[in-house]
Amino acid sequence: MKRAKLSGEQMLTIKQRASNGIENDEEIKQLDEEIKELNESNSQMEADMIKLRTQITTMESNLKTIEEENKVIEQQNESLLHELANLSQSLIHSLANIQLPHMEPINEQNFDAYVTTLTDMYTNQDRYQSPENKALLENIKQAVRGIQV
C-alpha cells in the first residue's frame, strides 16, 4: 500500500473539516438539548393554559350562578318592599284616628317616628301606666287587629 503524500495545505484542510464536523456535532447536540427544553417548556405552558381555561370556565359559571341568585333576591326584595308599602298603608289607615301623645296623627311623613313611638310604648309599658295610656294602647291593639301580615 502506498502512502499518500499530502501537502501541508491539504492536511490543514482535512484537519479543519474534521474539527468543523466535531464542532457541528457539538452544535447539533446543543441544539437538540435546547429543542428538548423548549418542548418541555411548551408542554408546561400548555398545561398551565388548560388549567387557566378551566379556572376561567369555573369562575364564569360561578358568576352566572351568583347573577341568577341576585336576580331572585332582587325579586324577593321588590316583593317585600311592595308588601311593606301595603302594610304601612294599612297601618296608617287603621291608626288614622288614634292620636299619640305629643304627635300629629299618623301619615306618610311621620310614619317612622310614629312607629318608633309605638314600639317604645309597647317595649316600655311600665313607663306608660297611666289610665289614659292604657286606654290608648288598647285602642291601638283594636285598630291593628284587622291588619293581615
Side-chain angles (χ1 to χ4, degrees), residues 67-85:
E67 286 174 345
E68 290 170 358
E69 289 172 355
N70 283 347
K71 281 183 184 179
V72 169
I73 290 170
E74 284 176 14
Q75 289 171 348
Q76 289 173 340
N77 284 347
E78 285 178 27
S79 176
L80 289 171
L81 287 172
H82 182 70
E83 188 175 337
L84 178 61

Side-chain angles (χ1 to χ4, degrees), residues 5 15-16 38-39 97-98 108 129 145 147:
K5 289 187 180 180
K15 192 175 182 180
Q16 283 177 345
L38 286 172
N39 283 336
N97 297 324
I98 298 177
E108 289 182 19
Q129 291 297 320
R145 269 203 180 112
I147 297 176

Side-chain angles (χ1 to χ4, degrees), residues 11-26:
M11 286 293 284
L12 233 131
T13 305
I14 292 172
K15 192 175 182 180
Q16 283 177 345
R17 283 186 192 162
S19 20
N20 283 345
I22 292 171
E23 286 176 13
N24 284 341
D25 235 12
E26 288 174 16

Side-chain angles (χ1 to χ4, degrees), residues 3 8 30 49 57 68 71 79 91-92 101 109 114 137:
R3 240 176 164 206
Q30 185 179 2
M49 286 299 295
T57 302
E68 290 170 358
K71 281 183 184 179
S79 176
L91 187 61
I92 289 171
Q109 287 74 30
Y114 199 94
L137 291 173

Side-chain angles (χ1 to χ4, degrees), residues 86-147:
N86 287 340
L87 285 170
S88 297
Q89 287 302 315
S90 295
L91 187 61
I92 289 171
H93 180 70
S94 296
L95 299 175
N97 297 324
I98 298 177
Q99 177 104 18
L100 293 182
H102 312 293
M103 287 198 76
E104 297 289 319
I106 190 170
N107 57 44
E108 289 182 19
Q109 287 74 30
N110 70 354
F111 179 78
D112 289 337
Y114 199 94
V115 170
T116 301
T117 302
L118 282 177
T119 304
D120 183 55
M121 289 176 75
Y122 276 96
T123 54
N124 300 305
Q125 287 185 16
D126 54 321
R127 288 192 325 203
Y128 297 95
Q129 291 297 320
S130 71
E132 296 124 10
N133 286 335
K134 286 184 178 181
L136 179 62
L137 291 173
E138 190 55 42
N139 285 338
I140 292 170
K141 285 180 188 177
Q142 291 298 322
V144 295
R145 269 203 180 112
I147 297 176

